[in-house]
Amino acid sequence: MGFNPLEEKGIAPEAQIMNWGQMNVEPYDKHSVHPYTRTRVILANGAEYEAVWFGHQFARHAQDIEIKRKLALSRRLEQQQQKLINCLIPGDETVLENTLGYEQVAVDLTAWLARTEPDPVVKAALDFALLEDFDHLYRYSNLLEMMEGKDPADIVGDYTEIFPGRPTSEEHRHPFDGIRKHYDKDTADIITKLHVCTIVAAEQQTMNYYMNSCNRPELMLARGLYQEIGMIEEQHVSHYESLEDPRMTWFERLLVHEYNECHLYWSCMETETDERIRGIWGHLLDCEIGHLHEAAEMMQKYEGRSAESILPNAFLEPTRSQSNKEYVRDVLASQVDLTTDGTDYVDVHELPSDARYFKYQKMVNEDGRVPSVQVIEDHLHEFGQEYRLSTEGEHPVERLREAHAAR
Ligand SMILES: [Fe+2]
Ligand SMILES: [Fe+2]
Ligand SMILES: [Fe+2]
Ligand SMILES: [Fe+2]
């Protein structure tokens, strides 16, 4: 029998309040941290951020003061968790170094979710955006080498390749083409619900990070690149959140959120290589089990439904941070030319010339100074070549093999 958080005791919410010393833990060492420890920290931070904001939204829609109080307590705890996790990132890791970690999560988390996703519509959504975040990693890597003289390979390790994906400049679409069809809450596998919850949290974290970080560099090009990629992250949040069935009740969504947090920390524990940080994941898992029991009780009390009627009796498999080089190459080779038209994915060459996509492209890319293109041109100019990290052979897409073709 696998791990079932509903059958574990966990820590009661009232016993979870941290003092300042417990919250302000020692950060990792950026020179020796495993790339996937860095990405786990980024992902967990995003999940906590989502937990906090979901709690606020729920409370704003709740009339009963009892419910508001319970949510206030759990939000306070999620805030403490968020702060603990976020401060695992050391002060000497620059915004741009951390940004590479963000895009590495976006690549290897998305690829893992896509590979294990049972619903074909959700899998297609993951594959589609995977190629876009993969391209962001390449653009920011060129910026990092140019601005800070650092080697991106020192951050991503030997796990993730760096070269053009679906070019960022081609990712900008009219918002009407960014909405997908949602899964059905009554027939969807729990794995699908957890995957959507996780990827929304991750993309939303990235969106927020770029919203706040775009004014940190002095270099105009860097500011522009954060703005441009930040707009795509907003597109990704809209894309992924539309997959969730909006007919789920607030209580059901709270339950799924807490269950997902349990699954996340259980996965982190199962896969973490840093002993000290593994201990932190274990403690946070116990805290989440306490939140899950609270959410289950609330659903029982206010809706007369048991958690067991929605959740399975064990976790199947942990979410693994792992290398997905061949998978990314395969998706690139077959889907690089896809764009969207309404809720459908279409080959860009099959769109009529008056499609919304081209009109929007023209509006945003019109003056020729597209930051994601400029960063490669400037790198070429300065270093005589662009930055790429290919370990598995030539680029899978012919038109993206030459530097100047990577528009
Ligand atoms: Fe949490
Ligand atoms: Fe991205
Ligand atoms: Fe993204
Ligand atoms: Fe929680």
PDB file of all heavy atoms in Angstrom, residues 354-374:
ATOM      1  N   ASP A 354      -5.296  36.540 -42.735  1.00  0.00           N
ATOM      2  CA  ASP A 354      -5.970  37.552 -41.916  1.00  0.00           C
ATOM      3  C   ASP A 354      -6.291  37.042 -40.506  1.00  0.00           C
ATOM      4  O   ASP A 354      -7.125  37.616 -39.804  1.00  0.00           O
ATOM      5  CB  ASP A 354      -7.256  38.027 -42.618  1.00  0.00           C
ATOM      6  CG  ASP A 354      -8.265  36.893 -42.777  1.00  0.00           C
ATOM      7  OD1 ASP A 354      -7.860  35.713 -42.626  1.00  0.00           O
ATOM      8  OD2 ASP A 354      -9.453  37.171 -43.038  1.00  0.00           O
ATOM      9  N   ALA A 355      -5.620  35.973 -40.081  1.00  0.00           N
ATOM     10  CA  ALA A 355      -5.889  35.396 -38.746  1.00  0.00           C
ATOM     11  C   ALA A 355      -5.491  36.388 -37.660  1.00  0.00           C
ATOM     12  O   ALA A 355      -4.577  37.190 -37.823  1.00  0.00           O
ATOM     13  CB  ALA A 355      -5.132  34.080 -38.575  1.00  0.00           C
ATOM     14  N   ARG A 356      -6.198  36.282 -36.529  1.00  0.00           N
ATOM     15  CA  ARG A 356      -5.908  37.104 -35.350  1.00  0.00           C
ATOM     16  C   ARG A 356      -4.434  37.013 -34.946  1.00  0.00           C
ATOM     17  O   ARG A 356      -3.844  37.977 -34.489  1.00  0.00           O
ATOM     18  CB  ARG A 356      -6.744  36.546 -34.191  1.00  0.00           C
ATOM     19  CG  ARG A 356      -7.707  37.505 -33.619  1.00  0.00           C
ATOM     20  CD  ARG A 356      -8.588  36.976 -32.534  1.00  0.00           C
ATOM     21  NE  ARG A 356      -8.674  35.560 -32.287  1.00  0.00           N
ATOM     22  CZ  ARG A 356      -9.820  34.908 -32.108  1.00  0.00           C
ATOM     23  NH1 ARG A 356     -10.972  35.552 -32.151  1.00  0.00           N
ATOM     24  NH2 ARG A 356      -9.835  33.628 -31.860  1.00  0.00           N
ATOM     25  N   TYR A 357      -3.887  35.825 -35.107  1.00  0.00           N
ATOM     26  CA  TYR A 357      -2.500  35.596 -34.706  1.00  0.00           C
ATOM     27  C   TYR A 357      -1.560  36.589 -35.403  1.00  0.00           C
ATOM     28  O   TYR A 357      -0.719  37.215 -34.765  1.00  0.00           O
ATOM     29  CB  TYR A 357      -2.093  34.154 -35.036  1.00  0.00           C
ATOM     30  CG  TYR A 357      -0.617  33.877 -34.822  1.00  0.00           C
ATOM     31  CD1 TYR A 357      -0.092  33.771 -33.533  1.00  0.00           C
ATOM     32  CD2 TYR A 357       0.255  33.730 -35.904  1.00  0.00           C
ATOM     33  CE1 TYR A 357       1.262  33.528 -33.326  1.00  0.00           C
ATOM     34  CE2 TYR A 357       1.605  33.480 -35.716  1.00  0.00           C
ATOM     35  CZ  TYR A 357       2.100  33.374 -34.421  1.00  0.00           C
ATOM     36  OH  TYR A 357       3.442  33.146 -34.220  1.00  0.00           O
ATOM     37  N   PHE A 358      -1.720  36.737 -36.700  1.00  0.00           N
ATOM     38  CA  PHE A 358      -0.804  37.618 -37.452  1.00  0.00           C
ATOM     39  C   PHE A 358      -1.032  39.087 -37.102  1.00  0.00           C
ATOM     40  O   PHE A 358      -0.091  39.873 -37.051  1.00  0.00           O
ATOM     41  CB  PHE A 358      -0.954  37.383 -38.965  1.00  0.00           C
ATOM     42  CG  PHE A 358      -0.552  35.998 -39.380  1.00  0.00           C
ATOM     43  CD1 PHE A 358      -1.468  35.125 -39.954  1.00  0.00           C
ATOM     44  CD2 PHE A 358       0.756  35.546 -39.172  1.00  0.00           C
ATOM     45  CE1 PHE A 358      -1.094  33.837 -40.326  1.00  0.00           C
ATOM     46  CE2 PHE A 358       1.142  34.253 -39.539  1.00  0.00           C
ATOM     47  CZ  PHE A 358       0.206  33.394 -40.118  1.00  0.00           C
ATOM     48  N   LYS A 359      -2.283  39.436 -36.867  1.00  0.00           N
ATOM     49  CA  LYS A 359      -2.573  40.834 -36.497  1.00  0.00           C
ATOM     50  C   LYS A 359      -1.909  41.162 -35.164  1.00  0.00           C
ATOM     51  O   LYS A 359      -1.311  42.220 -34.986  1.00  0.00           O
ATOM     52  CB  LYS A 359      -4.091  41.053 -36.386  1.00  0.00           C
ATOM     53  CG  LYS A 359      -4.779  41.087 -37.736  1.00  0.00           C
ATOM     54  CD  LYS A 359      -6.272  41.364 -37.584  1.00  0.00           C
ATOM     55  CE  LYS A 359      -6.979  41.138 -38.918  1.00  0.00           C
ATOM     56  NZ  LYS A 359      -8.383  40.781 -38.749  1.00  0.00           N
ATOM     57  N   TYR A 360      -2.023  40.234 -34.230  1.00  0.00           N
ATOM     58  CA  TYR A 360      -1.428  40.471 -32.901  1.00  0.00           C
ATOM     59  C   TYR A 360       0.100  40.509 -32.996  1.00  0.00           C
ATOM     60  O   TYR A 360       0.753  41.382 -32.420  1.00  0.00           O
ATOM     61  CB  TYR A 360      -1.886  39.390 -31.919  1.00  0.00           C
ATOM     62  CG  TYR A 360      -1.524  39.738 -30.491  1.00  0.00           C
ATOM     63  CD1 TYR A 360      -2.308  40.628 -29.750  1.00  0.00           C
ATOM     64  CD2 TYR A 360      -0.374  39.232 -29.905  1.00  0.00           C
ATOM     65  CE1 TYR A 360      -1.965  40.976 -28.451  1.00  0.00           C
ATOM     66  CE2 TYR A 360      -0.016  39.577 -28.602  1.00  0.00           C
ATOM     67  CZ  TYR A 360      -0.813  40.447 -27.885  1.00  0.00           C
ATOM     68  OH  TYR A 360      -0.461  40.806 -26.605  1.00  0.00           O
ATOM     69  N   GLN A 361       0.661  39.575 -33.747  1.00  0.00           N
ATOM     70  CA  GLN A 361       2.107  39.538 -33.972  1.00  0.00           C
ATOM     71  C   GLN A 361       2.616  40.872 -34.506  1.00  0.00           C
ATOM     72  O   GLN A 361       3.625  41.397 -34.073  1.00  0.00           O
ATOM     73  CB  GLN A 361       2.416  38.433 -35.011  1.00  0.00           C
ATOM     74  CG  GLN A 361       2.505  37.049 -34.421  1.00  0.00           C
ATOM     75  CD  GLN A 361       3.881  36.766 -33.849  1.00  0.00           C
ATOM     76  OE1 GLN A 361       4.871  36.855 -34.542  1.00  0.00           O
ATOM     77  NE2 GLN A 361       3.945  36.451 -32.574  1.00  0.00           N
ATOM     78  N   LYS A 362       1.854  41.401 -35.454  1.00  0.00           N
ATOM     79  CA  LYS A 362       2.262  42.650 -36.088  1.00  0.00           C
ATOM     80  C   LYS A 362       2.246  43.791 -35.067  1.00  0.00           C
ATOM     81  O   LYS A 362       3.162  44.604 -34.999  1.00  0.00           O
ATOM     82  CB  LYS A 362       1.306  42.956 -37.249  1.00  0.00           C
ATOM     83  CG  LYS A 362       1.773  44.057 -38.167  1.00  0.00           C
ATOM     84  CD  LYS A 362       1.054  43.974 -39.515  1.00  0.00           C
ATOM     85  CE  LYS A 362       1.549  45.039 -40.473  1.00  0.00           C
ATOM     86  NZ  LYS A 362       1.077  46.382 -40.168  1.00  0.00           N
ATOM     87  N   MET A 363       1.208  43.800 -34.231  1.00  0.00           N
ATOM     88  CA  MET A 363       1.097  44.891 -33.244  1.00  0.00           C
ATOM     89  C   MET A 363       2.255  44.891 -32.251  1.00  0.00           C
ATOM     90  O   MET A 363       2.820  45.924 -31.944  1.00  0.00           O
ATOM     91  CB  MET A 363      -0.232  44.771 -32.482  1.00  0.00           C
ATOM     92  CG  MET A 363      -1.414  45.267 -33.279  1.00  0.00           C
ATOM     93  SD  MET A 363      -2.888  45.416 -32.237  1.00  0.00           S
ATOM     94  CE  MET A 363      -3.457  43.721 -32.240  1.00  0.00           C
ATOM     95  N   VAL A 364       2.622  43.720 -31.735  1.00  0.00           N
ATOM     96  CA  VAL A 364       3.658  43.718 -30.694  1.00  0.00           C
ATOM     97  C   VAL A 364       5.088  43.699 -31.248  1.00  0.00           C
ATOM     98  O   VAL A 364       5.998  44.251 -30.631  1.00  0.00           O
ATOM     99  CB  VAL A 364       3.470  42.576 -29.660  1.00  0.00           C
ATOM    100  CG1 VAL A 364       2.194  42.771 -28.866  1.00  0.00           C
ATOM    101  CG2 VAL A 364       3.490  41.205 -30.321  1.00  0.00           C
ATOM    102  N   ASN A 365       5.274  43.078 -32.402  1.00  0.00           N
ATOM    103  CA  ASN A 365       6.643  42.930 -32.919  1.00  0.00           C
ATOM    104  C   ASN A 365       6.982  43.969 -33.983  1.00  0.00           C
ATOM    105  O   ASN A 365       8.055  43.922 -34.580  1.00  0.00           O
ATOM    106  CB  ASN A 365       6.831  41.533 -33.545  1.00  0.00           C
ATOM    107  CG  ASN A 365       6.817  40.418 -32.512  1.00  0.00           C
ATOM    108  OD1 ASN A 365       7.067  40.658 -31.336  1.00  0.00           O
ATOM    109  ND2 ASN A 365       6.521  39.209 -32.943  1.00  0.00           N
ATOM    110  N   GLU A 366       6.085  44.921 -34.204  1.00  0.00           N
ATOM    111  CA  GLU A 366       6.173  45.763 -35.390  1.00  0.00           C
ATOM    112  C   GLU A 366       7.448  46.596 -35.528  1.00  0.00           C
ATOM    113  O   GLU A 366       8.036  46.657 -36.592  1.00  0.00           O
ATOM    114  CB  GLU A 366       4.969  46.716 -35.449  1.00  0.00           C
ATOM    115  CG  GLU A 366       4.830  47.371 -36.811  1.00  0.00           C
ATOM    116  CD  GLU A 366       3.463  48.032 -36.964  1.00  0.00           C
ATOM    117  OE1 GLU A 366       2.916  48.487 -35.940  1.00  0.00           O
ATOM    118  OE2 GLU A 366       2.965  48.068 -38.090  1.00  0.00           O
ATOM    119  N   ASP A 367       7.922  47.211 -34.435  1.00  0.00           N
ATOM    120  CA  ASP A 367       9.020  48.164 -34.659  1.00  0.00           C
ATOM    121  C   ASP A 367      10.393  47.499 -34.823  1.00  0.00           C
ATOM    122  O   ASP A 367      11.404  48.171 -34.942  1.00  0.00           O
ATOM    123  CB  ASP A 367       9.037  49.252 -33.573  1.00  0.00           C
ATOM    124  CG  ASP A 367       9.686  48.793 -32.282  1.00  0.00           C
ATOM    125  OD1 ASP A 367       9.992  47.599 -32.180  1.00  0.00           O
ATOM    126  OD2 ASP A 367       9.888  49.643 -31.397  1.00  0.00           O
ATOM    127  N   GLY A 368      10.403  46.154 -34.843  1.00  0.00           N
ATOM    128  CA  GLY A 368      11.658  45.475 -35.163  1.00  0.00           C
ATOM    129  C   GLY A 368      12.584  45.271 -33.978  1.00  0.00           C
ATOM    130  O   GLY A 368      13.499  44.472 -34.040  1.00  0.00           O
ATOM    131  N   ARG A 369      12.356  45.977 -32.889  1.00  0.00           N
ATOM    132  CA  ARG A 369      13.231  45.791 -31.726  1.00  0.00           C
ATOM    133  C   ARG A 369      12.566  44.830 -30.734  1.00  0.00           C
ATOM    134  O   ARG A 369      12.037  45.239 -29.714  1.00  0.00           O
ATOM    135  CB  ARG A 369      13.533  47.126 -31.055  1.00  0.00           C
ATOM    136  CG  ARG A 369      14.522  47.965 -31.824  1.00  0.00           C
ATOM    137  CD  ARG A 369      15.013  49.126 -30.999  1.00  0.00           C
ATOM    138  NE  ARG A 369      13.918  50.002 -30.598  1.00  0.00           N
ATOM    139  CZ  ARG A 369      13.435  51.003 -31.342  1.00  0.00           C
ATOM    140  NH1 ARG A 369      13.956  51.245 -32.522  1.00  0.00           N
ATOM    141  NH2 ARG A 369      12.447  51.753 -30.901  1.00  0.00           N
ATOM    142  N   VAL A 370      12.600  43.573 -31.085  1.00  0.00           N
ATOM    143  CA  VAL A 370      12.003  42.557 -30.221  1.00  0.00           C
ATOM    144  C   VAL A 370      13.104  42.089 -29.267  1.00  0.00           C
ATOM    145  O   VAL A 370      14.125  41.560 -29.710  1.00  0.00           O
ATOM    146  CB  VAL A 370      11.462  41.378 -31.060  1.00  0.00           C
ATOM    147  CG1 VAL A 370      10.801  40.333 -30.169  1.00  0.00           C
ATOM    148  CG2 VAL A 370      10.496  41.882 -32.129  1.00  0.00           C
ATOM    149  N   PRO A 371      12.944  42.303 -27.958  1.00  0.00           N
ATOM    150  CA  PRO A 371      14.045  41.992 -27.032  1.00  0.00           C
ATOM    151  C   PRO A 371      14.585  40.564 -27.133  1.00  0.00           C
ATOM    152  O   PRO A 371      15.788  40.347 -27.029  1.00  0.00           O
ATOM    153  CB  PRO A 371      13.420  42.248 -25.648  1.00  0.00           C
ATOM    154  CG  PRO A 371      12.320  43.232 -25.896  1.00  0.00           C
ATOM    155  CD  PRO A 371      11.782  42.906 -27.262  1.00  0.00           C
ATOM    156  N   SER A 372      13.679  39.582 -27.349  1.00  0.00           N
ATOM    157  CA  SER A 372      14.145  38.191 -27.386  1.00  0.00           C
ATOM    158  C   SER A 372      14.990  37.904 -28.633  1.00  0.00           C
ATOM    159  O   SER A 372      15.754  36.934 -28.664  1.00  0.00           O
ATOM    160  CB  SER A 372      12.950  37.230 -27.331  1.00  0.00           C
ATOM    161  OG  SER A 372      12.092  37.427 -28.441  1.00  0.00           O
ATOM    162  N   VAL A 373      14.845  38.738 -29.663  1.00  0.00           N
ATOM    163  CA  VAL A 373      15.672  38.610 -30.862  1.00  0.00           C
ATOM    164  C   VAL A 373      16.964  39.397 -30.653  1.00  0.00           C
ATOM    165  O   VAL A 373      18.066  38.929 -30.948  1.00  0.00           O
ATOM    166  CB  VAL A 373      14.913  39.159 -32.103  1.00  0.00           C
ATOM    167  CG1 VAL A 373      15.800  39.099 -33.344  1.00  0.00           C
ATOM    168  CG2 VAL A 373      13.621  38.389 -32.319  1.00  0.00           C
ATOM    169  N   GLN A 374      16.782  40.580 -30.087  1.00  0.00           N
ATOM    170  CA  GLN A 374      17.912  41.480 -29.860  1.00  0.00           C
ATOM    171  C   GLN A 374      18.972  40.841 -28.959  1.00  0.00           C
ATOM    172  O   GLN A 374      20.173  41.018 -29.173  1.00  0.00           O
ATOM    173  CB  GLN A 374      17.381  42.770 -29.200  1.00  0.00           C
ATOM    174  CG  GLN A 374      18.348  43.932 -29.215  1.00  0.00           C
ATOM    175  CD  GLN A 374      18.593  44.460 -30.621  1.00  0.00           C
ATOM    176  OE1 GLN A 374      17.647  44.666 -31.375  1.00  0.00           O
ATOM    177  NE2 GLN A 374      19.843  44.657 -30.967  1.00  0.00           N
TER     178      GLN A 374
END
